[in-house]
Amino acid sequence: MANNNLFQDFDPVSSKQWKQQIQYELKGADYNETLVWESPEGIKVKPFYHADEAVSKYAVNTPANAFAIVQNIFVHDVKKSNERAVDALQRGAESIRFTIENNTVAVDLLMQNLPLEKVSYTFYLPFLDIDFVTTLNNFATKNNAHFILQMDPIGQLCSDGNWFESLEKDFEKLHQIAKNTTSSFLTIQSQTYQNAGANMVQQLAYILAQVNEYFNRIPYLTQPITIEVAVGTNYFFEIAKLRALRILFSALAAEYNANLDCHIIVTPTKRNKTIYDYNVNMLRTTTECMSAILGGANAIANLPYDALYHKDNEFGDRIARNQLLVLKHESYFDKVNNPADGAYYIENLTEQLAEKALLLFKEIEANGGFITQLIEGTIQKKIQESAQKEQELFDSGKETLLGTNKYPNKNDRMKNDLELYPFVKQNPRKTLITPIIEKRLAEKLEQERLSEE
């Protein structure tokens, strides 16, 4: 008879025994100095994690097949956007996100011939308009459609430096929307923090503080809150970050007796993407999407490899979509519930990120809250400090981007391929606060290379 317990003939080895053996192999070198390293978040990472040291305080539910493959579509021409959405769904997309920049879009024409009952549609609205939101909500109710609306006045303040109108007017509109819509309408655009260089503890704390502002200012919130998160290539840390986010959101919602869930949309970060040797971007986004899946994202909108310098195009979108299709249907990432459970390293990271983020969140609240700290410039200063540390690591070669600051192809030429301006855009104007500026690590180096072509 086959022996089902493959390891019963081996004596268990405790963590203490492992450490003793490691110390012996080090031949006198200090264990902590040699093998333990510290992340930018202040987390000490050990060389191994063991069952007898594991303490799982938190439960995170990430069911199999939970993530939807999202196709982003910027609505400029309604007819073409509709045709593109129909085509994307036929080619494997499972959800569509429309970016709509004004309230003149004809919703019925945009949604024509689209399957409404089995597909979720997200509408990113970089403006506040009660009538337009009512139109979307009425259409969804009439057609039994699932709409998610993304509006974020605080996110607008962060990235633009100004409210849509003012704090009072923006939140008055949100009050009216909250009362009169059944669709989820509130979002946290937290990708700005990651793309600007915030470390993971900062990202989690700022998301929590931003959610807290909405809970405080909109007391009758009953709709789920959407949180958009950017992930980088620190594989296990990013898995833990998403798990920690759910833990922290649940804890905060419980304090307000709000029986709410958060809907997490993940997109790969732009911070580590490059215009030279741009095909490497596909490798980066693949591991980032894997982190998103294992971390429990509800939806993933992949970043096309050429998004920095090309306008939206069918080829780039198809490659980005196919990366997720391969992960879902050929790599079987949709077959296992809670795939990160039992990984002592990930559970340890989750616990540490959650606890450090909670401490920072409490510090923000003790000093007036997120909006106050934005107006005072504290949040921007902290992100800038974190971004500068990472930039110095990149500039010195300690943080590597293959094809850019290591093993660059000097024959690469990009000057004639730039359909979009891939660097920080200067827009001098009067703002209420200093905006949080997204900036890629490779920008300075790339500008130097372009000038030499």
Side-chain angles (χ1 to χ4, degrees):
M1 180 180 289
N3 189 342
N4 292 325
N5 190 341
L6 299 177
F7 302 104
Q8 68 177 7
D9 293 333
F10 297 91
D11 294 329
V13 180
S14 68
S15 60
K16 182 178 179 180
Q17 289 173 295
W18 274 112
K19 287 178 182 176
Q20 288 173 341
Q21 181 63 34
I22 291 170
Q23 192 65 62
Y24 172 77
E25 297 292 343
L26 286 173
K27 301 183 187 303
D30 185 86
Y31 175 89
N32 289 320
E33 290 184 5
T34 306
L35 297 179
V36 177
W37 59 274
E38 186 170 311
S39 77
E41 295 79 14
I43 293 174
K44 293 187 182 299
V45 180
K46 301 183 294 184
F48 76 96
Y49 291 80
H50 195 281
D52 64 17
E53 295 179 329
V55 180
S56 184
K57 294 183 181 179
Y58 309 108
V60 184
N61 185 34
T62 54
N65 205 23
F67 73 98
I69 299 171
V70 178
Q71 178 64 60
N72 287 324
I73 297 177
F74 182 88
V75 179
H76 178 68
D77 181 300
V78 172
K79 185 174 183 295
K80 289 182 179 178
S81 298
N82 170 263
E83 292 172 350
R84 191 174 162 203
V86 171
D87 180 69
L89 291 172
Q90 292 173 345
R91 290 172 177 263
E94 298 168 332
S95 181
I96 302 293
R97 175 163 58 177
F98 293 111
T99 295
I100 299 176
E101 286 204 312
N102 59 67
N103 60 3
T104 62
V105 170
V107 176
D108 54 342
L109 295 179
L110 182 63
M111 303 304 297
Q112 194 171 23
N113 301 320
L114 288 170
L116 297 177
E117 293 190 13
K118 295 184 179 180
V119 177
S120 175
Y121 296 89
T122 301
F123 297 83
Y124 172 59
L125 308 178
F127 60 90
L128 288 179
D129 187 294
I130 296 172
D131 293 337
F132 189 71
V133 170
T134 301
T135 299
L136 287 169
N137 186 66
N138 290 344
F139 183 94
T141 303
K142 179 181 177 181
N143 294 278
N144 197 26
H146 182 221
F147 283 4
I148 297 173
L149 314 185
Q150 287 189 273
M151 291 173 284
D152 183 11
I154 300 176
Q156 164 72 11
L157 178 67
C158 289
S159 60
D160 184 73
N162 289 313
W163 298 99
F164 290 117
E165 293 183 69
S166 67
L167 186 154
E168 293 77 15
K169 291 181 179 179
D170 284 4
F171 275 96
E172 177 56 35
K173 287 185 176 181
L174 284 183
H175 286 176
Q176 295 302 317
I177 290 168
K179 289 178 181 178
N180 298 305
T181 183
T182 55
S183 298
S184 173
F185 68 93
L186 201 55
T187 191
I188 308 297
Q189 295 292 117
S190 75
Q191 71 272 28
T192 300
Y193 311 136
Q194 211 282 347
N195 287 330
N199 66 44
M200 292 187 198
V201 168
Q202 290 172 330
Q203 293 169 49
L204 290 168
Y206 298 160
I207 291 170
L208 205 61
Q210 194 171 337
V211 171
N212 195 51
E213 291 283 0
Y214 285 125
F215 274 139
N216 274 321
R217 296 172 186 272
I218 310 174
Y220 32 78
L221 262 178
T222 58
Q223 301 90 336
I225 293 177
T226 300
I227 302 176
E228 183 152 5
V229 183
V231 295
T233 47
N234 194 343
Y235 187 70
F236 294 108
F237 270 70
E238 293 291 357
I239 296 171
K241 181 179 81 176
L242 295 177
R243 289 163 57 86
L245 174 56
R246 285 203 185 275
I247 294 165
L248 292 168
F249 180 89
S250 297
L252 182 61
E255 291 297 315
Y256 287 89
N257 296 316
N259 186 24
L260 295 179
D261 195 9
C262 61
H263 178 83
I264 299 177
I265 297 179
V266 176
T267 187
T269 182
K270 292 180 180 178
R271 186 156 172 81
N272 62 4
K273 303 305 181 291
T274 58
I275 61 174
Y276 286 98
D277 212 349
Y278 48 74
N279 288 316
V280 181
N281 289 335
M282 282 187 276
L283 303 179
R284 297 176 183 126
T285 55
T286 297
T287 67
E288 288 160 0
C289 288
M290 289 166 67
S291 292
I293 296 167
L294 297 175
N298 298 103
I300 303 173
N302 196 9
L303 185 73
Y305 75 97
D306 59 349
L308 297 178
Y309 63 92
H310 272 171
K311 296 177 182 177
D312 284 350
N313 62 90
E314 195 276 336
F315 183 77
D317 284 344
R318 179 161 59 88
I319 294 295
R321 194 167 54 242
N322 285 349
Q323 288 173 261
L324 288 169
L325 286 168
V326 168
L327 289 174
K328 191 165 197 175
H329 299 297
E330 296 185 30
S331 302
Y332 304 108
F333 268 52
D334 62 334
K335 301 301 182 187
V336 181
N337 287 323
N338 308 315
D341 279 7
Y344 308 133
Y345 178 38
I346 294 175
E347 291 188 348
N348 183 277
L349 291 179
T350 300
E351 179 183 332
Q352 290 194 67
L353 285 171
E355 291 180 353
K356 286 179 178 292
L358 188 59
L359 287 175
L360 181 54
F361 164 71
K362 290 178 179 179
E363 181 183 317
I364 292 169
E365 293 306 306
N367 286 280
F370 190 67
I371 293 176
T372 297
Q373 294 242 297
L374 277 174
I375 293 172
E376 292 174 351
T378 305
I379 301 295
Q380 297 91 318
K381 180 183 177 183
K382 295 294 185 183
I383 292 177
Q384 181 58 38
E385 289 172 354
S386 177
Q388 185 58 39
K389 290 178 182 177
E390 187 181 20
Q391 189 69 54
E392 289 170 359
L393 290 173
F394 173 80
D395 292 343
S396 66
K398 293 179 181 178
E399 181 163 337
T400 300
L401 292 181
L402 289 177
T404 300
N405 69 341
K406 191 166 187 178
Y407 308 127
N409 179 1
K410 298 298 183 181
N411 295 321
D412 263 0
R413 296 292 181 268
M414 287 300 299
K415 185 176 288 187
N416 296 326
D417 290 333
L418 302 183
E419 296 176 356
L420 302 172
Y421 186 71
F423 308 115
V424 172
K425 298 178 179 68
Q426 302 296 326
N427 183 20
R429 67 198 190 285
K430 185 177 181 180
T431 58
L432 177 65
I433 69 167
T434 301
I436 297 172
I437 304 298
E438 299 182 9
K439 185 178 180 181
R440 295 181 298 110
L441 289 168
E443 288 197 15
K444 181 181 177 182
L445 191 153
E446 289 173 348
Q447 287 173 314
E448 292 172 353
R449 288 183 65 176
L450 284 170
S451 68
E452 295 171 359
E453 286 188 14

